[in-house]
Amino acid sequence: MSTFTLENLKEIMQSCADQDSNPVDLSRNFLDVPFKELDFDSLAVLEIATRVQQEIGVRISDDAVAEMTTPQAVLDYVNRESVA
Amino acid sequence: MSRVVVTGLGVLAPNGNGTDDYWSNTLAGKSGIAPISLYDASRYPCTLAGEVPGFDAEVRVPGKLRAQTDHMTHLALAATEAALADAQADPAAFGEYEMGVVTANSSGGTVFGQRELEKLWSKGPEHVGAYMAVAWFYAATTGQISIRHKMRGPCGVLVAEQAGGLDAIGHAVRQVRREGLRLIVTGGTDASLSPAGLTAQLTTGLLSHRSDPHRAYLPFDRAAAGYVPGQGGAVLLLEDYGSAVKRGAPRLYGEIAGYAAGFDPGSRHVLPRVIVKALTAAGAGPDDVDVVFADALGDFAADRQEARALRELFGPRGVPVTAPKTMTGRLYAGGGPLDVASALLAIRDQVIPPTVNVADPVPGDELDLVLGEPRPAPVRTALVVARGFGGFCTAIVVRALP
């Protein structure tokens, strides 16, 4: 299985964001910024989780999605599950 | 009771991308009914439809929003922008709770829904996008317009097939009066042109199976054989009259003077009652009506019912009757609002748009159909009738301002 990197996550987040009127600034350190403050609502986070599942084949439960409040939490979950 | 006026129109119809385009094509008798291009319809019984020409969602709808919504909502978002621009109304200049949104919907987001359901059965649940949770809902369009323009007052959706668009306008008027709103976005758009969207309708037996665009949808004609489906519709901006005048709205197209609705699966007795009730609500009588925009289903029995109601109320050939929807196909939730827009433009230009392709009207109907060519006429009061599958029946009276 290929590893899931920060770059992969950035790519997915960009594609879920509004590039026209509200591009996400992923140049700064955004990993610990809550999704809400990055202007991702709960559906957008679910969409991110769905895309991550499709890309790396790791199953993410609904409960786990609910706990993914920051980008760092997504990376932590994926890396933990990939190893296990 | 406060007067509620229409100050902005946004039209996206099969024979016109934009209000001016639609109206000039409609007066010229140009139809948008053609073979379906959105998918290969050759193996389906219905091969014709009205598709909005040259509508580019990539240009008209921001990227994220586009991905989160069905085509029906793309059309509504673009039509809303057009209506706001037409009325020179900047939502930021209104209080968020002084604005509302009431649209109609009939099919739901069938294109989006079919795409995601195909992923579900071919690849599995984890491949279904998160926005399936909202994009195909009837209320999706109202919700997205409300969010986009921060219109936080009363919002809702009406679902009554082809009658729903008029019900939405009627309810919008009620909300302006009841809640003291200054502005409300209303109308509707539908876009059920996908294999799943149309297959679901085949059992009604009302869709035309003909392949000649000029012979497929012939309401009130002896050769009537059902209707052709279309996509699009119209978004109307309604304002409280006093507020619209005060802010200097550039155009007051007219007022929504009367509204009434009824329900009867037999549909025989409800139609005349609903029309009389709408006229009464407008403080008008049959003699005041200058034109009727008919429901014009294209089904033999339903056409006779509508003709009889009009004949009994207005007398034989007592009022000009037209069905510009013969150029667009039936637009479901978008159909009534498009007819209301046409009625307002008829009032503006003092001309009745034509019904096309109908060449052999049923003689016993005794309708004064406006056939082939537009008819210049004094138009001050227009009646718009719509019926929805199952028994929905609605009428709206539109009137010029004094």
Side-chain angles (χ1 to χ4, degrees):
Chain A
M1 179 192 294
S2 59
T3 47
F4 189 72
T5 66
L6 178 58
E7 283 308 310
N8 296 135
L9 180 60
K10 268 190 186 177
E11 218 168 90
I12 288 173
M13 285 177 66
Q14 294 284 17
S15 73
C16 294
D18 189 347
Q19 292 307 313
D20 309 331
S21 62
N22 196 14
V24 189
D25 179 11
L26 297 185
S27 55
R28 67 195 170 106
N29 185 14
F30 66 96
L31 281 175
D32 291 314
V33 181
F35 278 117
K36 252 184 199 161
E37 285 174 33
L38 293 167
D39 217 24
F40 285 85
D41 61 18
S42 58
L43 259 185
V45 176
L46 188 57
E47 181 70 15
I48 290 170
T50 305
R51 302 271 190 95
V52 171
Q53 284 187 121
Q54 288 167 14
E55 275 198 21
I56 61 168
V58 164
R59 168 114 182 83
I60 305 176
S61 71
D62 291 349
D63 290 343
V65 174
E67 282 165 27
M68 291 176 178
T69 52
T70 63
Q72 184 65 52
V74 179
L75 285 180
D76 288 349
Y77 182 90
V78 170
N79 291 329
R80 207 162 52 231
E81 292 300 306
S82 304
V83 173
Chain B
M1 206 159 52
S2 71
R3 214 186 276 273
V4 180
V5 294
V6 180
T7 57
L9 300 176
V11 171
L12 286 168
N15 64 340
N17 184 338
T19 305
D20 294 342
D21 194 29
Y22 164 73
W23 188 236
S24 61
N25 285 337
T26 296
L27 291 180
K30 284 185 190 161
S31 171
I33 293 173
I36 291 171
S37 76
L38 292 165
Y39 59 92
D40 178 9
S42 61
R43 290 168 62 221
Y44 294 89
C46 300
T47 56
L48 298 176
E51 301 174 2
V52 179
F55 177 79
D56 189 353
E58 296 205 7
V59 175
R60 305 283 292 269
V61 185
K64 180 173 114 181
L65 200 48
R66 191 171 64 244
Q68 295 175 358
T69 49
D70 180 76
H71 194 64
M72 63 172 187
T73 306
H74 299 166
L75 292 165
L77 287 164
T80 301
E81 301 280 354
L84 287 166
D86 185 33
Q88 291 177 21
D90 176 8
F94 292 76
E96 292 181 353
Y97 294 92
E98 294 177 330
M99 301 180 288
V101 185
V102 177
T103 66
N105 194 258
S106 174
S107 313
T110 54
V111 176
F112 193 107
Q114 177 166 357
R115 188 183 67 219
E116 297 302 314
L117 289 176
E118 280 173 2
K119 286 186 202 163
L120 176 65
W121 59 255
S122 63
K123 294 179 179 170
E126 64 278 9
H127 290 271
V128 177
Y131 293 98
M132 181 68 174
V134 292
W136 70 336
F137 286 1
Y138 295 127
T141 294
T142 284
Q144 296 293 0
I145 293 170
S146 166
I147 292 166
R148 182 156 176 75
H149 297 291
K150 295 193 169 61
M151 297 170 170
R152 300 180 197 269
C155 290
V157 61
L158 278 289
V159 180
E161 215 254 345
Q162 180 96 7
L166 294 187
D167 290 326
I169 295 171
H171 188 56
V173 169
R174 194 155 50 208
Q175 292 292 51
V176 169
R177 291 181 176 144
R178 191 161 67 192
E179 307 288 337
L181 299 181
R182 286 180 62 202
L183 178 156
I184 194 159
V185 172
T186 188
T189 55
D190 256 316
S192 56
L193 300 182
S194 75
L198 281 192
T199 301
Q201 297 175 40
L202 288 176
T203 55
T204 67
L206 293 170
L207 291 178
S208 175
H209 291 194
R210 290 191 182 150
S211 55
D212 178 354
H214 302 289
R215 300 292 295 160
Y217 179 29
L218 301 169
F220 303 116
D221 194 296
R222 278 205 275 211
Y227 68 84
V228 173
Q231 63 172 195
V235 167
L236 281 64
L237 211 65
L238 268 49
E239 295 186 60
D240 171 76
Y241 175 69
S243 169
V245 170
K246 200 173 162 192
R247 78 166 180 90
R251 267 174 298 275
L252 306 178
Y253 286 99
E255 65 168 323
I256 306 298
Y259 159 79
F263 183 82
D264 175 8
S267 176
R268 279 175 45 212
H269 305 294
V270 74
L271 184 57
R273 286 183 194 204
V274 163
I275 293 173
V276 168
K277 231 181 139 183
L279 286 171
T280 306
D287 290 348
D288 297 312
V289 176
D290 301 310
V291 58
V292 176
F293 287 79
D295 177 57
L297 189 61
D299 168 71
F300 189 84
D303 285 353
R304 297 296 79 69
Q305 283 168 11
E306 185 170 26
R308 192 175 74 176
L310 296 177
R311 190 170 63 243
E312 285 175 4
L313 285 169
F314 297 95
R317 300 179 195 280
V319 66
V321 175
T322 192
K325 56 171 70 74
T326 47
M327 290 173 257
T328 62
R330 285 175 76 85
L331 306 187
Y332 309 94
L338 185 63
D339 275 344
V340 168
S342 300
L344 292 162
L345 294 166
I347 288 170
R348 184 189 71 183
D349 295 346
Q350 298 291 287
V351 60
I352 299 171
T355 304
V356 303
N357 297 328
V358 173
D360 185 17
V362 173
D365 284 353
E366 296 187 282
L367 294 180
D368 174 15
L369 287 168
V370 178
L371 296 179
E373 301 279 324
R375 184 190 297 178
V379 184
R380 207 183 111 67
T381 304
L383 172 72
V384 181
V385 177
R387 289 172 296 183
F389 184 73
F392 299 100
C393 185
T394 308
I396 269 187
V397 177
V398 177
R399 190 160 52 203
L401 286 162

